[in-house]
Amino acid sequence: MINVEVAFALPDEQKIIPVKIEEGATAYDAVVRSRIVEVFPQIDIENAKMGIFGKAIRDPKTEVLREGQRVEIYRPLKIDPKEARANRAAKLKAQQKG
Amino acid sequence: MESILIAIFALLGLALVFGALLGFASIRFKVEGNPIVDQIDELLPQTQCGQCGHPGCRPYAEAIANGEAINKCPPGGQSTIDALADLLDVEPQPLDAEHGEEKPRAVAYIREDECIGCTKCIQACPVDAILGAAKQMHTVIISECTGCDLCVEPCPVDCIDMIPIEPTLASWSWSEPRPGVQIIATDRGHRAAVTGSTT
């Protein structure tokens, strides 16, 4: 058995749930075991992007965990970074003109 | 002649016994590291902010144990300096302004409408308190955040605010009595007699 954590965060509510899993268990297994969906029903564990300590993982169902790792469940960005940059540039241009 | 031999053997025997005793004690009661470092580390605020010029609280604790000044920790403020002075039995000093000023405890907050998912703040965070990955929303885990300010500066879109924590009914407490302040007059006299100063 190894100890890992499963974490999910909203701006005003965050949860880190410690879980014990068998050696060789995957990130997906840990998330299921943590029953984090009971705390945050909005998590779609089949499709949500996941990662370990700030690094996204390709497939949670094949990613084998090691002792002490923190599985993080991510949320999408609210804005498109490219669009945001274009907006900022446009604003700056308008300021320089005016 | 015989009495000299008896004396030599007696001393030899004593030396062997005490030598064996010391050797046994040094193995059996071995202390890993310097225990004072642990005590100093416990008094430091564990923000890991680096404002003291060391890469974290533990390295600063080690430096203090080796004689560095105790007034370089702005997050800890005067109460930490006083506690350290009490532990190390030195005079408390005012906070060294060169390393920053004492501010109320705060936590970082990311404005989600502006976050572009660049991971710069995640790399800066000394305590892994920011959850997120490249092109995914970044969120501060408030219970892990030490309020160290290190994530604010790297953010390219300036979307991180430091929000001071207002004491609530649940978290408010009496401020601790300042250590080192003598309450009883006779103690003051005793301390003056011991240290030779009148504080």
Side-chain angles (χ1 to χ4, degrees):
Chain A
M1 295 298 259
I2 53 172
N3 298 298
V4 295
E5 292 175 326
V6 174
F8 181 74
L10 295 171
D12 302 311
E13 197 190 356
Q14 305 90 27
K15 204 125 207 141
I16 300 178
I17 303 174
V19 273
K20 268 194 197 313
I21 51 169
E22 289 89 29
E23 240 163 274
T26 64
Y28 179 81
D29 297 338
V31 172
V32 172
R33 176 73 59 86
S34 72
R35 300 208 277 184
I36 199 161
V37 273
E38 287 172 22
V39 189
F40 298 104
Q42 67 266 51
I43 301 175
D44 171 10
I45 53 169
E46 298 301 326
N47 301 313
K49 282 245 189 276
M50 295 180 196
I52 294 165
F53 277 125
K55 288 253 170 8
I57 50 180
R58 201 158 287 157
D59 185 6
K61 287 186 185 168
T62 58
E63 184 76 23
V64 175
L65 294 180
R66 276 179 292 154
E67 170 78 26
Q69 285 184 323
R70 181 171 84 191
V71 179
E72 304 172 331
I73 304 163
Y74 299 132
R75 293 176 295 133
L77 290 172
K78 286 201 173 155
I79 50 159
D80 176 28
K82 280 185 197 158
E83 217 167 88
R85 179 161 162 67
N87 283 348
R88 274 201 310 278
K91 224 190 240 170
L92 209 71
K93 231 180 196 175
Q95 263 179 11
Q96 278 170 350
K97 265 186 192 165
Chain B
M1 190 61 202
E2 197 182 326
S3 59
I4 292 172
L5 276 179
I6 288 172
I8 287 173
F9 281 121
L11 286 174
L12 197 71
L14 278 174
L16 284 174
V17 167
F18 283 118
L21 209 66
L22 283 172
F24 171 74
S26 75
I27 293 163
R28 177 68 182 75
F29 303 108
K30 191 173 170 63
V31 178
E32 290 290 343
N34 190 346
I36 196 79
V37 173
D38 285 325
Q39 290 177 31
I40 296 169
D41 196 37
E42 243 165 62
L43 292 175
L44 293 173
Q46 304 304 322
T47 53
Q48 318 298 349
C49 64
Q51 288 180 70
C52 53
H54 295 275
C57 294
R58 180 89 198 175
Y60 183 41
E62 281 162 13
I64 290 176
N66 287 329
E68 191 158 318
I70 58 170
N71 61 349
K72 293 185 177 179
C73 180
Q78 195 60 45
S79 54
T80 295
I81 294 172
D82 291 344
L84 287 172
D86 196 45
L87 173 69
L88 302 169
D89 206 12
V90 295
E91 286 298 312
Q93 303 147 305
L95 183 66
D96 187 349
E98 194 186 304
H99 293 275
E101 54 191 42
E102 193 174 353
K103 281 181 277 189
R105 209 171 109 58
V107 291
Y109 184 88
I110 295 174
R111 291 196 301 276
E112 305 217 318
D113 294 338
E114 293 166 48
C115 175
I116 57 170
C118 71
T119 75
K120 292 242 165 68
C121 57
I122 295 175
Q123 292 160 34
C125 181
V127 292
D128 280 325
I130 303 176
L131 186 146
K135 298 193 189 107
Q136 303 293 327
M137 182 60 75
H138 298 354
T139 317
V140 176
I141 301 166
I142 293 172
S143 60
E144 304 272 295
C145 178
T146 64
C148 70
D149 272 2
L150 291 178
C151 55
V152 176
E153 202 260 325
C155 180
V157 292
D158 271 334
C159 75
I160 303 179
D161 293 321
M162 296 305 296
I163 301 177
I165 306 175
E166 297 289 335
T168 61
L169 283 176
S171 67
W172 184 88
S173 65
W174 290 101
S175 54
E176 285 175 24
R178 287 181 50 189
V181 172
Q182 304 296 337
I183 301 166
I184 306 169
T186 42
D187 276 0
R188 197 181 301 143
H190 171 71
R191 192 171 179 195
V194 169
T195 61
S197 64
T198 50
T199 41

Tab-separated table of all heavy atoms in Angstrom, chain B residues 35-75:
chain	number	residue	atom	x	y	z
B	35	PRO	N	20.236	19.719	17.779
B	35	PRO	CA	18.843	19.818	18.218
B	35	PRO	C	18.335	21.258	18.319
B	35	PRO	O	17.145	21.497	18.202
B	35	PRO	CB	18.855	19.129	19.576
B	35	PRO	CG	20.279	19.100	20.008
B	35	PRO	CD	21.093	19.075	18.771
B	36	ILE	N	19.248	22.220	18.495
B	36	ILE	CA	18.807	23.617	18.594
B	36	ILE	C	18.209	24.077	17.266
B	36	ILE	O	17.292	24.906	17.235
B	36	ILE	CB	19.983	24.536	19.051
B	36	ILE	CG1	19.462	25.900	19.527
B	36	ILE	CG2	20.984	24.766	17.954
B	36	ILE	CD1	18.906	25.882	20.917
B	37	VAL	N	18.697	23.499	16.139
B	37	VAL	CA	18.158	23.862	14.829
B	37	VAL	C	16.672	23.523	14.756
B	37	VAL	O	15.865	24.307	14.249
B	37	VAL	CB	18.946	23.155	13.706
B	37	VAL	CG1	18.288	23.398	12.358
B	37	VAL	CG2	20.383	23.642	13.669
B	38	ASP	N	16.306	22.347	15.299
B	38	ASP	CA	14.895	21.956	15.299
B	38	ASP	C	14.051	22.942	16.091
B	38	ASP	O	12.963	23.327	15.666
B	38	ASP	CB	14.733	20.557	15.910
B	38	ASP	CG	15.186	19.477	14.948
B	38	ASP	OD1	14.973	19.663	13.734
B	38	ASP	OD2	15.764	18.478	15.404
B	39	GLN	N	14.582	23.344	17.258
B	39	GLN	CA	13.814	24.275	18.098
B	39	GLN	C	13.650	25.627	17.422
B	39	GLN	O	12.594	26.247	17.497
B	39	GLN	CB	14.515	24.447	19.455
B	39	GLN	CG	14.431	23.200	20.313
B	39	GLN	CD	15.201	23.353	21.620
B	39	GLN	OE1	15.312	24.445	22.147
B	39	GLN	NE2	15.725	22.264	22.118
B	40	ILE	N	14.729	26.091	16.751
B	40	ILE	CA	14.642	27.373	16.048
B	40	ILE	C	13.656	27.256	14.888
B	40	ILE	O	12.793	28.110	14.682
B	40	ILE	CB	16.033	27.800	15.530
B	40	ILE	CG1	16.982	28.057	16.702
B	40	ILE	CG2	15.929	29.043	14.658
B	40	ILE	CD1	18.436	28.230	16.282
B	41	ASP	N	13.764	26.141	14.151
B	41	ASP	CA	12.896	25.924	12.992
B	41	ASP	C	11.432	25.923	13.406
B	41	ASP	O	10.567	26.416	12.688
B	41	ASP	CB	13.273	24.595	12.333
B	41	ASP	CG	12.697	24.472	10.933
B	41	ASP	OD1	12.652	25.509	10.235
B	41	ASP	OD2	12.298	23.372	10.537
B	42	GLU	N	11.150	25.384	14.610
B	42	GLU	CA	9.781	25.341	15.083
B	42	GLU	C	9.222	26.742	15.341
B	42	GLU	O	8.029	26.977	15.189
B	42	GLU	CB	9.717	24.536	16.376
B	42	GLU	CG	8.876	23.285	16.260
B	42	GLU	CD	9.138	22.344	17.412
B	42	GLU	OE1	8.876	22.742	18.561
B	42	GLU	OE2	9.627	21.230	17.149
B	43	LEU	N	10.092	27.685	15.730
B	43	LEU	CA	9.626	29.041	16.026
B	43	LEU	C	9.426	29.860	14.751
B	43	LEU	O	8.656	30.813	14.741
B	43	LEU	CB	10.640	29.758	16.931
B	43	LEU	CG	10.771	29.209	18.352
B	43	LEU	CD1	11.878	29.932	19.082
B	43	LEU	CD2	9.461	29.342	19.105
B	44	LEU	N	10.131	29.487	13.678
B	44	LEU	CA	10.003	30.254	12.436
B	44	LEU	C	8.646	29.957	11.794
B	44	LEU	O	8.067	28.898	12.005
B	44	LEU	CB	11.154	29.878	11.482
B	44	LEU	CG	12.532	30.315	11.982
B	44	LEU	CD1	13.623	29.767	11.083
B	44	LEU	CD2	12.633	31.824	12.049
B	45	PRO	N	8.125	30.922	10.997
B	45	PRO	CA	6.742	30.794	10.533
B	45	PRO	C	6.515	29.772	9.416
B	45	PRO	O	5.380	29.519	9.059
B	45	PRO	CB	6.418	32.204	10.047
B	45	PRO	CG	7.728	32.795	9.702
B	45	PRO	CD	8.723	32.215	10.650
B	46	GLN	N	7.577	29.178	8.874
B	46	GLN	CA	7.454	28.178	7.808
B	46	GLN	C	6.746	28.711	6.561
B	46	GLN	O	5.995	27.990	5.910
B	46	GLN	CB	6.722	26.910	8.313
B	46	GLN	CG	7.356	26.270	9.522
B	46	GLN	CD	8.820	25.925	9.306
B	46	GLN	OE1	9.197	25.501	8.225
B	46	GLN	NE2	9.668	26.157	10.297
B	47	THR	N	6.959	29.983	6.253
B	47	THR	CA	6.414	30.503	5.004
B	47	THR	C	7.304	30.122	3.830
B	47	THR	O	6.872	30.185	2.694
B	47	THR	CB	6.308	32.038	5.042
B	47	THR	OG1	7.571	32.566	5.399
B	47	THR	CG2	5.274	32.492	6.031
B	48	GLN	N	8.539	29.763	4.083
B	48	GLN	CA	9.520	29.402	3.052
B	48	GLN	C	9.664	30.532	2.036
B	48	GLN	O	9.848	30.292	0.853
B	48	GLN	CB	9.123	28.097	2.326
B	48	GLN	CG	8.607	26.989	3.201
B	48	GLN	CD	9.613	26.494	4.215
B	48	GLN	OE1	10.784	26.825	4.168
B	48	GLN	NE2	9.144	25.712	5.161
B	49	CYS	N	9.562	31.792	2.480
B	49	CYS	CA	9.478	32.906	1.551
B	49	CYS	C	10.842	33.393	1.080
B	49	CYS	O	10.951	34.084	0.073
B	49	CYS	CB	8.728	34.076	2.189
B	49	CYS	SG	9.592	34.769	3.615
B	50	GLY	N	11.901	33.065	1.808
B	50	GLY	CA	13.236	33.466	1.362
B	50	GLY	C	13.588	34.920	1.627
B	50	GLY	O	14.621	35.388	1.169
B	51	GLN	N	12.755	35.659	2.361
B	51	GLN	CA	13.048	37.077	2.588
B	51	GLN	C	14.277	37.289	3.466
B	51	GLN	O	14.891	38.348	3.442
B	51	GLN	CB	11.842	37.781	3.218
B	51	GLN	CG	10.698	37.960	2.248
B	51	GLN	CD	9.509	38.646	2.884
B	51	GLN	OE1	9.543	39.826	3.189
B	51	GLN	NE2	8.438	37.905	3.091
B	52	CYS	N	14.644	36.252	4.232
B	52	CYS	CA	15.824	36.348	5.088
B	52	CYS	C	17.102	36.178	4.280
B	52	CYS	O	18.194	36.388	4.797
B	52	CYS	CB	15.761	35.274	6.172
B	52	CYS	SG	15.510	33.612	5.497
B	53	GLY	N	16.977	35.778	2.999
B	53	GLY	CA	18.152	35.558	2.182
B	53	GLY	C	18.563	34.099	2.131
B	53	GLY	O	19.558	33.757	1.498
B	54	HIS	N	17.802	33.223	2.798
B	54	HIS	CA	18.070	31.794	2.746
B	54	HIS	C	16.946	31.123	1.959
B	54	HIS	O	15.854	31.660	1.884
B	54	HIS	CB	18.133	31.221	4.163
B	54	HIS	CG	19.282	31.769	4.951
B	54	HIS	ND1	20.548	31.250	4.883
B	54	HIS	CD2	19.358	32.831	5.784
B	54	HIS	CE1	21.353	31.957	5.657
B	54	HIS	NE2	20.659	32.931	6.221
B	55	PRO	N	17.214	29.950	1.392
B	55	PRO	CA	16.198	29.333	0.542
B	55	PRO	C	15.047	28.688	1.299
B	55	PRO	O	14.343	27.872	0.750
B	55	PRO	CB	17.000	28.294	-0.258
B	55	PRO	CG	18.164	27.976	0.597
B	55	PRO	CD	18.494	29.219	1.349
B	56	GLY	N	14.835	29.043	2.550
B	56	GLY	CA	13.715	28.463	3.289
B	56	GLY	C	13.930	28.661	4.772
B	56	GLY	O	14.955	29.194	5.200
B	57	CYS	N	12.953	28.199	5.572
B	57	CYS	CA	13.042	28.417	7.021
B	57	CYS	C	14.111	27.546	7.665
B	57	CYS	O	14.824	27.980	8.564
B	57	CYS	CB	11.679	28.146	7.656
B	57	CYS	SG	10.432	29.335	7.125
B	58	ARG	N	14.210	26.299	7.221
B	58	ARG	CA	15.191	25.381	7.804
B	58	ARG	C	16.637	25.881	7.605
B	58	ARG	O	17.406	25.922	8.572
B	58	ARG	CB	14.982	23.998	7.179
B	58	ARG	CG	15.905	22.936	7.675
B	58	ARG	CD	15.314	22.253	8.877
B	58	ARG	NE	16.363	21.540	9.601
B	58	ARG	CZ	16.173	20.928	10.759
B	58	ARG	NH1	14.983	20.979	11.307
B	58	ARG	NH2	17.138	20.312	11.354
B	59	PRO	N	17.006	26.305	6.379
B	59	PRO	CA	18.360	26.848	6.211
B	59	PRO	C	18.624	28.078	7.090
B	59	PRO	O	19.735	28.255	7.597
B	59	PRO	CB	18.412	27.220	4.727
B	59	PRO	CG	17.432	26.326	4.086
B	59	PRO	CD	16.328	26.145	5.079
B	60	TYR	N	17.586	28.923	7.276
B	60	TYR	CA	17.764	30.083	8.150
B	60	TYR	C	17.962	29.638	9.595
B	60	TYR	O	18.792	30.194	10.325
B	60	TYR	CB	16.562	31.028	8.018
B	60	TYR	CG	16.688	32.300	8.835
B	60	TYR	CD1	17.894	32.978	8.921
B	60	TYR	CD2	15.593	32.812	9.519
B	60	TYR	CE1	18.011	34.136	9.672
B	60	TYR	CE2	15.697	33.977	10.265
B	60	TYR	CZ	16.906	34.635	10.343
B	60	TYR	OH	17.023	35.769	11.092
B	61	ALA	N	17.222	28.594	9.994
B	61	ALA	CA	17.379	28.062	11.353
B	61	ALA	C	18.807	27.571	11.565
B	61	ALA	O	19.414	27.808	12.616
B	61	ALA	CB	16.375	26.927	11.589
B	62	GLU	N	19.351	26.908	10.532
B	62	GLU	CA	20.730	26.425	10.641
B	62	GLU	C	21.705	27.601	10.737
B	62	GLU	O	22.679	27.569	11.494
B	62	GLU	CB	21.075	25.544	9.433
B	62	GLU	CG	20.505	24.138	9.577
B	62	GLU	CD	20.435	23.387	8.257
B	62	GLU	OE1	21.045	23.856	7.273
B	62	GLU	OE2	19.762	22.348	8.230
B	63	ALA	N	21.412	28.671	9.963
B	63	ALA	CA	22.282	29.846	9.995
B	63	ALA	C	22.230	30.521	11.361
B	63	ALA	O	23.259	30.962	11.884
B	63	ALA	CB	21.867	30.817	8.897
B	64	ILE	N	21.019	30.588	11.951
B	64	ILE	CA	20.890	31.196	13.282
B	64	ILE	C	21.689	30.386	14.306
B	64	ILE	O	22.393	30.947	15.148
B	64	ILE	CB	19.410	31.284	13.702
B	64	ILE	CG1	18.671	32.320	12.858
B	64	ILE	CG2	19.295	31.657	15.182
B	64	ILE	CD1	17.194	32.409	13.149
B	65	ALA	N	21.604	29.058	14.180
B	65	ALA	CA	22.355	28.197	15.098
B	65	ALA	C	23.853	28.449	14.974
B	65	ALA	O	24.607	28.273	15.923
B	65	ALA	CB	22.033	26.730	14.823
B	66	ASN	N	24.270	28.896	13.786
B	66	ASN	CA	25.691	29.204	13.582
B	66	ASN	C	26.020	30.671	13.844
B	66	ASN	O	27.077	31.158	13.430
B	66	ASN	CB	26.106	28.840	12.152
B	66	ASN	CG	26.188	27.341	11.967
B	66	ASN	OD1	26.507	26.620	12.895
B	66	ASN	ND2	25.857	26.881	10.777
B	67	GLY	N	25.061	31.393	14.442
B	67	GLY	CA	25.382	32.735	14.898
B	67	GLY	C	24.855	33.872	14.045
B	67	GLY	O	25.233	35.022	14.249
B	68	GLU	N	23.972	33.592	13.080
B	68	GLU	CA	23.437	34.689	12.277
B	68	GLU	C	22.395	35.492	13.083
B	68	GLU	O	21.836	34.993	14.058
B	68	GLU	CB	22.791	34.133	10.999
B	68	GLU	CG	22.450	35.229	10.018
B	68	GLU	CD	22.322	34.706	8.589
B	68	GLU	OE1	23.144	33.876	8.192
B	68	GLU	OE2	21.388	35.151	7.905
B	69	ALA	N	22.158	36.755	12.638
B	69	ALA	CA	21.208	37.614	13.342
B	69	ALA	C	19.815	37.003	13.315
B	69	ALA	O	19.428	36.346	12.343
B	69	ALA	CB	21.178	38.995	12.694
B	70	ILE	N	19.031	37.248	14.385
B	70	ILE	CA	17.706	36.627	14.495
B	70	ILE	C	16.605	37.539	13.971
B	70	ILE	O	15.443	37.173	13.996
B	70	ILE	CB	17.389	36.249	15.958
B	70	ILE	CG1	17.461	37.485	16.855
B	70	ILE	CG2	18.334	35.178	16.448
B	70	ILE	CD1	16.921	37.234	18.246
B	71	ASN	N	16.962	38.729	13.461
B	71	ASN	CA	15.910	39.699	13.112
B	71	ASN	C	15.713	39.830	11.600
B	71	ASN	O	15.481	40.904	11.087
B	71	ASN	CB	16.229	41.062	13.718
B	71	ASN	CG	17.537	41.619	13.206
B	71	ASN	OD1	18.301	40.906	12.561
B	71	ASN	ND2	17.793	42.883	13.480
B	72	LYS	N	15.801	38.714	10.868
B	72	LYS	CA	15.683	38.796	9.413
B	72	LYS	C	14.401	38.180	8.890
B	72	LYS	O	14.301	37.878	7.701
B	72	LYS	CB	16.875	38.082	8.775
B	72	LYS	CG	18.200	38.783	9.038
B	72	LYS	CD	19.303	38.090	8.290
B	72	LYS	CE	20.619	38.816	8.472
B	72	LYS	NZ	21.689	38.107	7.762
B	73	CYS	N	13.422	37.943	9.752
B	73	CYS	CA	12.219	37.229	9.318
B	73	CYS	C	10.990	38.129	9.388
B	73	CYS	O	10.332	38.209	10.424
B	73	CYS	CB	12.019	35.986	10.186
B	73	CYS	SG	10.566	35.030	9.736
B	74	PRO	N	10.646	38.824	8.287
B	74	PRO	CA	9.477	39.707	8.317
B	74	PRO	C	8.141	38.990	8.557
B	74	PRO	O	7.316	39.515	9.306
B	74	PRO	CB	9.496	40.384	6.945
B	74	PRO	CG	10.882	40.202	6.433
B	74	PRO	CD	11.370	38.923	7.019
B	75	PRO	N	7.892	37.806	7.962
B	75	PRO	CA	6.588	37.186	8.229
B	75	PRO	C	6.408	36.833	9.708
B	75	PRO	O	5.307	36.896	10.237
B	75	PRO	CB	6.603	35.925	7.364
B	75	PRO	CG	7.633	36.149	6.341
B	75	PRO	CD	8.669	37.026	6.980
